[in-house]
Amino acid sequence: MQMGLVQQKDGQIGEHETKYVLSNKRATSMNCWLSKRCEPDPSFPHGIISSIYFDTIDWKLLGEKLNSDHLKTKVRLRWYGNPVTGEILPESFLEYKYKIGSARKKFRVKTKIDARRLLDKEMESLEFMNIPKIAHEYGVTLPHVLYPAFQINYTRHRY
């Protein structure tokens, strides 16, 4: 689950994101509790999220995250599914995040890869191996040679 907008000291409204990971047993009751107290996100309240994360051969990017490094990089290919029907939506997105402390830069671009075809692909497939080339086409030079490393799928609720 992810929550929030927060009013900053200067009066501007900014994003504040808090993520919670719960067991399925607890997530259902927590989601019920939140839905009675919070408004759903107006754009993307509920969805199935699938992501393939990219990393170096020696897991440098995962190491940055696990070590809570001041500098962190995340590269992923992401697509979405309908939580009611389970249908995979056709759009896929390349995302590149670079964090320095709490400041972050995020690059997100819609790819030409049909997400409905991704579920049957091996991690070594050409679609995944071409991700650095796709990033370069949009002016983003990735800091390392990256390979598809792992895939995660989960259901997300946003408030």
Side-chain angles (χ1 to χ4, degrees):
M1 290 181 237
Q2 299 182 12
M3 302 183 348
L5 292 177
V6 65
Q7 188 164 357
Q8 299 172 348
K9 291 179 185 178
D10 61 4
Q12 297 286 327
I13 300 295
E15 279 190 23
H16 174 72
E17 180 177 85
T18 304
K19 297 180 181 181
Y20 300 93
V21 177
L22 305 170
S23 68
N24 283 339
K25 184 177 180 180
R26 295 197 64 214
T28 301
S29 60
M30 179 57 75
N31 191 47
C32 182
W33 184 86
L34 284 168
S35 68
K36 293 176 183 174
R37 291 161 178 80
C38 302
E39 292 293 321
D41 179 90
S43 301
F44 303 104
H46 184 204
I48 298 170
I49 313 300
S50 298
S51 299
I52 293 180
Y53 285 79
F54 292 79
D55 209 333
T56 63
I57 198 77
D58 61 350
W59 299 96
K60 179 173 176 35
L61 305 185
L62 181 61
E64 293 171 353
K65 175 70 174 167
L66 294 175
N67 296 330
S68 297
D69 289 356
H70 187 70
L71 303 174
K72 295 181 195 87
T73 303
K74 183 186 299 183
V75 179
R76 65 186 172 208
L77 180 65
R78 177 166 275 189
W79 65 94
Y80 302 91
N82 182 309
V84 176
T85 66
E87 176 187 3
I88 302 300
L89 304 176
E91 296 83 14
S92 66
F93 302 88
L94 172 62
E95 296 181 351
Y96 169 72
K97 292 182 180 179
Y98 181 72
K99 289 180 82 174
I100 302 173
S102 62
R104 91 174 175 179
K105 291 183 180 183
K106 181 178 178 181
F107 166 81
R108 177 179 159 107
V109 64
K110 184 176 173 180
T111 73
K112 296 175 185 171
I113 301 170
D114 187 331
R116 296 170 294 194
R117 296 179 45 232
L118 295 176
L119 296 178
D120 299 328
K121 296 290 181 186
E122 297 291 326
M123 294 291 266
E124 300 83 14
S125 74
L126 188 58
E127 281 91 349
F128 302 138
M129 299 305 281
N130 277 337
I131 291 300
K133 180 181 173 189
I134 292 170
H136 188 72
E137 288 172 3
Y138 287 94
V140 174
T141 302
L142 301 175
H144 308 285
V145 176
L146 301 178
Y147 303 94
F150 57 90
Q151 180 176 340
I152 64 168
N153 304 294
Y154 59 94
T155 300
R156 177 176 70 189
H157 297 268
R158 276 186 165 169
Y159 294 95

